[in-house]
Amino acid sequence: MKTEIVESSKQLIYEAKIGDGHITMPNLSGKSTVRYSSIYEDYMLYKHGIIGKDISCSDVKISNNSAGFNKRGVIYHFSSHVSEFIGSVWNCDIVDIINNLDYFGFLMYYFDDGSYHKRANTMHIYCNTFSEIEVDTLINKVYTLFPIKCPTKQVDRKKDGREYPYIYIPTTTTREIVKFYMDFVSNRPLLHCMLYKLGSPSQTIENK
């Protein structure tokens, strides 16, 4: 597969709409901000470097998160300044956002909301708030980018009766995804903290 992966602030803002980012409601002039957070400082520095080329941003900051889910007890975050483009993304339909993801946008979205299952060599992408058509659109997007074997919709059923959809990516497609992205991620030290999402040990700069 000889397709270039282009780092793009636009794609990062797209995936923030459906991933771990947070886009504020547009102000009266139609402008919004986007906020990113992670337990990995390197990952935030990487996103900051991409977004910051086109939109002014705050510095990456650290906050106490000892009451949160992560064992590190801290979380790293930064926010952009207001932008008309971010405001336009806030107003976009989820289906349109998914359809606009390219190889870079999909990788960032997977890093935010996906998981790698080493024993089975498969991937899951969680889409708890997606409608049925949005889940189907995501399945089609993955298959368009990696037309090996089509992912399927699965349901995570909780003991209390709640049900959440997720995308199951089969082994043959997972192997192709890992092969496609491995050099890109390995050649960017700030993304080494996310190598575990491709089945390799995480190698964070701050832990070296």
Side-chain angles (χ1 to χ4, degrees):
M1 183 180 291
K2 297 180 179 179
T3 303
E4 185 179 4
I5 305 171
V6 179
E7 294 168 310
S8 160
S9 61
K10 180 182 291 186
Q11 288 292 315
L12 277 181
I13 295 166
Y14 283 153
E15 68 88 17
K17 169 86 172 183
I18 57 176
D20 281 350
H22 173 70
I23 298 178
T24 61
M25 183 180 295
N27 59 24
L28 293 177
S29 63
K31 298 179 180 180
S32 296
T33 64
V34 63
R35 184 181 189 274
Y36 298 94
S37 60
S38 173
I39 62 173
Y40 298 112
E41 181 181 17
D42 296 346
Y43 191 42
M44 288 297 92
L45 290 171
Y46 175 78
K47 286 189 173 183
H48 188 281
I50 302 297
I51 294 284
K53 293 177 181 178
D54 298 308
I55 302 171
S56 296
C57 298
S58 69
D59 293 334
V60 174
K61 301 176 182 179
I62 184 172
S63 296
N64 185 295
N65 194 44
S66 56
F69 68 91
N70 78 80
K71 297 179 181 178
R72 292 169 180 254
V74 298
I75 193 166
Y76 301 91
H77 56 90
F78 73 93
S79 297
S80 74
H81 292 184
V82 293
S83 159
E84 288 184 6
F85 177 72
I86 298 174
S88 70
V89 171
W90 188 89
N91 285 305
C92 278
D93 185 81
I94 296 295
V95 168
D96 291 335
I97 293 295
I98 296 170
N99 282 328
N100 278 308
L101 291 178
D102 63 12
Y103 286 100
F104 178 67
F106 172 73
L107 175 65
M108 294 294 103
Y109 173 55
Y110 167 71
F111 278 170
D112 283 356
D113 282 359
S115 63
Y116 179 84
H117 299 264
K118 198 164 188 177
R119 286 188 178 181
N121 199 14
T122 59
M123 291 173 170
H124 295 174
I125 300 179
Y126 302 93
C127 39
N128 297 357
T129 63
F130 281 17
S131 67
E132 187 171 343
I133 190 171
E134 290 164 353
V135 173
D136 289 342
T137 302
L138 181 58
I139 288 173
N140 290 334
K141 169 54 66 172
V142 177
Y143 189 64
T144 298
L145 295 175
F146 300 97
I148 313 301
K149 187 174 182 180
C150 192
T152 58
K153 175 185 175 181
Q154 303 293 325
V155 178
D156 180 13
R157 294 181 172 85
K158 303 298 184 181
K159 292 181 179 180
D160 60 8
R162 291 176 298 163
E163 296 184 350
Y164 299 108
Y166 68 92
I167 302 301
Y168 169 85
I169 301 177
T171 299
T172 51
T173 306
T174 294
R175 286 174 177 160
E176 185 63 30
I177 292 173
V178 170
K179 179 181 177 182
F180 180 73
Y181 286 120
M182 186 57 75
D183 284 348
F184 178 85
V185 176
S186 297
N187 289 331
R188 287 158 176 79
L190 290 176
L191 288 181
H192 286 182
C193 58
M194 305 306 289
L195 278 168
Y196 74 99
K197 295 260 184 170
L198 297 177
S200 295
S202 175
Q203 302 171 11
T204 59
I205 291 175
E206 59 263 31
N207 286 340
K208 288 183 178 180

